[in-house]
Structure formats: C-alpha cells, structure tokens
Amino acid sequence: MARPRRRLSDALDPLRGDGRGWVLLTVALGWAFTLGLRFLVPTLLPQVKATFGLDNAAAGLAVTVIWACYALMQFPAGVLTDRIGERTVLAASLAGSATSLALLAAAPLFVVFLLGAAAFGVGSGLYGPARGLSLSKAFPRNDGAAFGITLAAGSLGSAVIPLVAGTAVGVLGWRLLVGSTVPAFLAVAALAWVTLPDPIDSATRSDGGSPTDATPSLRAVIRSLPRALGNRNVLLASVAFTFYLFAFQGLTAFLPTYLVTHEGIGQSLAGFIFALLFVGGTISQVAVGTASDRYGARPVLVVVAAVAAVTLLAVPAVDGRLAWGVLVFLLGTRLALAPVTNSYIVARLPADVQGAAWGFLRTCLFLVGSTGSLFVGAMADAGRFDAAFLALGGVTAVAVGCYAGLPPSS
C-alpha cells in the first residue's frame, strides 16, 4: 500500500503549495455540484414528463434550454472574468445556480420550469470560463492534470447525484430532490469567496496601479477576437469539441429514458447504470489529463474520440443489464476529451483577451452542442431511438478526423 500512496502523493505534490491546493479543491468541488445538477434533470425526466404531461421532444427542450443558456453566458462570463476576477464570477455562479434550482423545484407549470431551467443555464454558465482561467493561471505547467482532476470531480458529482436521485425519487419526489441541493450550492459559493485568490487585488498590490488600467475595453476585446481565434489548431480543436458536445448532450439527456422505456430497466437500476458513465469518466479524466501532459494532446484525443465513436455505435446492439453496465462505463471514457481539449485551446489563446476569447468559443461550442438533446428527443418521438444513437456515433467519428488534423507535436 505504501508504493501506490507514494505515487499518488508524487502526482499531487506539483498541484499543491502557495494556496494552489485550495484553488483546485474549491474549483473542483464547485464543478462537481454544477455538473452533477445539470445531469440531475435527465435522470428525473420520466417524473417531470408525468408531472407536466410532456412528450420526449418537450422534455428534450427543457434540457436544451439549460445548455443553450449555459452556452450564451460563456462570452459574457469570459469578459466578466477578465474584469472582476475568477473569485467573484465563480461565487456568483454558484449563488445564482442555487436560486434557479429553488425556482425549478417550485415550478407550478412547465413554462415556469423552463424559466428555472434557463436561469440554471445562466447561473452555471458563469462557471466554465472562470474555472478554466483559474486553473490555467494556478497550474501553468500542470494544466492537463489540474483540468483532469477538476473535470473528474464533475464526473463524480454527475455519477453520485443522479444515482441518489434515481434511487430516492420514488419516495421523495423530484421537487424535494431538486430543492434539497440549494443549501449545498450556497455553502460552496461561500467557500469560493473565502478561499479563492482575487487576481484584481493581486494586480493592484503588485504594481500600485488600478487593475482596470490594463483591462482592454469591450470594443477592443471584440476587435481582438479574430486575431485570438485565427489559430488553425484552435479552430480545429474547437470544431472537434463541438461535434463531441452535440453527441454528449444527446447521449446524456436521454440515456436514462432509453434504458427505462426502450430496454425495460427499472428506474433505480437505470440510475445506477447511468452513474457508471460518470464513474468511467472520472477514472479516464484523471488518467488522460496526466497522459496528455506527458505524451501530447493529439494522440490522446484521437484515441479517446475513436473509443467514444465505437461505443456509441454499439448502443443499438447491446442487450442485458450486465452488458449495459459495461458499455455505459466505456461510454464514460468520452468525458476525458473535455479536460485535454480545454487545456489545449486555453493555452493557445492570447493572454490579454484569454477570458473573452475562451468565453466566446464556449458560447459557440455549447450553443451548437445543446441541440443534441432536442435532436434525440425528436428522433425518439418518431420511433427512431436507435438511429439517433447511431447518428451520434457518426458525429463523434467526424471529431476523430478533426483531432487527427492537429500537429503531431501537440
């Protein structure tokens, strides 16, 4: 036991010291709640559909609204992060998400539920750019590992929260389950405010000037975007990630519903199987993030995307609970694409508009990707659930080609 513990300690040592351990812990914990709650809604879709009398397309619209509003907030969040600092944006994101979840839990009509979904998308949408910049600044030499651990924490939250919800929804109901998460978000918001450094204050103390003196105007930021985004490798990785997000959104929005309605698996067991997707993601994100630091991004991205395509294409052929457990675990390895792609893109953006450029890119990526759930919902209502997953596999295969086009030295 001593040797594995020593290896773990050696791996974590570069990520600690000078308050960086607290940065990683707080950002990862906040992401665990933010991402976990985003996947709580797909887990509870059967109950939400029954409450409001929805079909699959309408239910898919609710998930799309979350992701679309999340996407639309990325550019504003990046600009805000450049101006007021990561600490303020991350704390505001968590507090805003808590408020939106209270609205979701109390929604008397589906239109109010959609408003709550939109508010959660806006609140959680503030988190991504500030999270990425916080980690990139704190871990310039180990960003792959830091991103991997953070996104693995999100995958762990996405495994545990839907699993608990799928088991307890029959007793507690979906409203109480959603509402019970509000205090946790408020607690992590307070932790972020207390523990994260404020880069604005740091800049002021270091040079004695006003931090806004060096902050470009919004017009200057917008004019700088073509320069920031003109890097061929940034564009290629971004296109690949868009295809990945479309497939990922379609898969995660309807996999629990597919298992319950199409495969005849009980919701508690379906929730457990769905959780395996994020268990697989947690393991692969930590391992792949470290591998990308050692071997480069391109070979890692190509291999993981290829596995992601093959496993999606296998969905219609799988039968039996054990087989589903194995396949869903393997499907989770696709989550390892996110930390490597994130760190790859962020590292290639100009420092002076890094937050705004990354936020703008994330708006484009997630806005297109958010339509994946609407696509799968419409296909399901047309009786073509299996064909929808085959299409998602084909889309992921295109991402493999994009990743393969990155330079060998990446």
Side-chain angles (χ1 to χ4, degrees):
M1 290 297 292
R3 184 169 296 176
R5 288 178 182 174
R6 179 64 179 271
R7 289 175 181 172
L8 178 61
S9 177
D10 290 343
L12 293 177
D13 279 343
L15 304 176
R16 295 184 292 196
D18 297 325
R20 293 186 304 162
W22 278 109
V23 171
L24 183 58
L25 174 64
T26 303
V27 173
L29 186 60
W31 187 239
F33 280 106
T34 297
L35 193 62
L37 266 293
R38 203 181 304 156
F39 292 113
L40 178 64
V41 174
T43 302
L44 302 177
L45 273 186
Q47 283 71 32
V48 174
K49 286 168 58 181
T51 297
F52 298 115
L54 308 175
D55 59 14
N56 285 314
L61 176 62
V63 180
T64 291
V65 164
I66 292 176
W67 283 86
C69 291
Y70 177 90
L72 290 171
M73 282 305 298
Q74 300 304 292
F75 178 55
V79 174
L80 281 173
T81 301
D82 284 339
R83 279 160 170 70
I84 63 177
E86 296 88 355
R87 182 185 72 170
T88 303
V89 174
L90 290 173
S93 170
L94 293 163
S97 295
T99 303
S100 67
L101 289 166
L103 179 60
L104 272 176
L109 302 171
F110 182 57
V111 66
V112 180
F113 186 87
L114 285 179
L115 289 174
F120 182 71
V122 169
S124 61
L126 289 169
Y127 204 91
R131 177 206 67 196
L133 293 179
S134 181
L135 294 177
S136 185
K137 291 177 181 179
F139 306 97
R141 297 182 180 178
N142 309 93
D143 57 346
F147 271 95
I149 290 172
T150 299
L151 271 68
S155 296
L156 186 61
S158 301
V160 173
I161 292 173
L163 176 59
V164 172
T167 303
V169 65
V171 177
L172 301 178
W174 69 268
R175 294 185 186 274
L176 182 57
L177 284 172
V178 173
S180 65
T181 63
V182 172
F185 268 87
L186 292 176
V188 181
L191 180 66
W193 186 258
V194 170
T195 62
L196 294 181
D198 188 341
I200 300 300
D201 290 343
S202 299
T204 302
R205 287 194 301 268
S206 64
D207 59 18
S210 170
T212 58
D213 292 343
T215 303
S217 66
L218 181 59
R219 179 178 297 180
V221 167
I222 293 174
R223 288 178 176 174
S224 299
L225 286 179
R227 169 178 61 87
L229 305 178
N231 185 306
R232 171 189 175 275
N233 298 328
V234 168
L235 291 176
L236 203 56
S238 298
V239 170
F241 199 53
T242 301
F243 285 120
Y244 155 78
L245 286 171
F246 181 90
F248 179 72
Q249 179 60 23
L251 169 68
T252 55
F254 279 99
L255 183 58
T257 301
Y258 183 87
L259 294 174
V260 172
T261 63
H262 194 273
E263 295 296 312
I265 297 174
Q267 187 161 2
S268 294
L269 182 57
F272 175 78
I273 293 175
F274 186 53
L276 291 176
L277 186 144
F278 300 101
V279 173
T282 301
I283 295 171
S284 61
Q285 282 171 331
V286 174
V288 170
T290 302
S292 69
D293 288 338
R294 178 175 298 182
Y295 302 111
R298 191 183 81 158
V300 171
L301 289 169
V302 169
V303 170
V304 175
V307 172
V310 171
T311 50
L312 270 173
L313 293 172
V315 165
V318 173
D319 188 29
R321 289 161 172 76
L322 179 60
W324 267 111
V326 173
L327 178 64
V328 171
F329 179 87
L330 293 175
L331 280 167
T333 60
R334 69 189 298 110
L335 274 72
L337 290 170
V340 181
T341 307
N342 284 355
S343 60
Y344 182 89
I345 294 174
V346 170
R348 284 156 182 79
L349 297 174
D352 57 330
V353 290
Q354 193 176 52
W358 180 223
F360 179 81
L361 268 178
R362 286 174 64 86
T363 288
C364 298
L365 302 179
F366 283 97
L367 194 58
V368 175
S370 69
T371 61
S373 57
L374 190 59
F375 166 77
V376 175
M379 291 283 284
D381 285 339
R384 302 186 64 81
F385 229 150
D386 286 339
F389 286 110
L390 292 176
L392 297 182
V395 165
T396 306
V398 177
V400 176
C402 293
Y403 283 131
L406 297 175
S409 58
S410 294

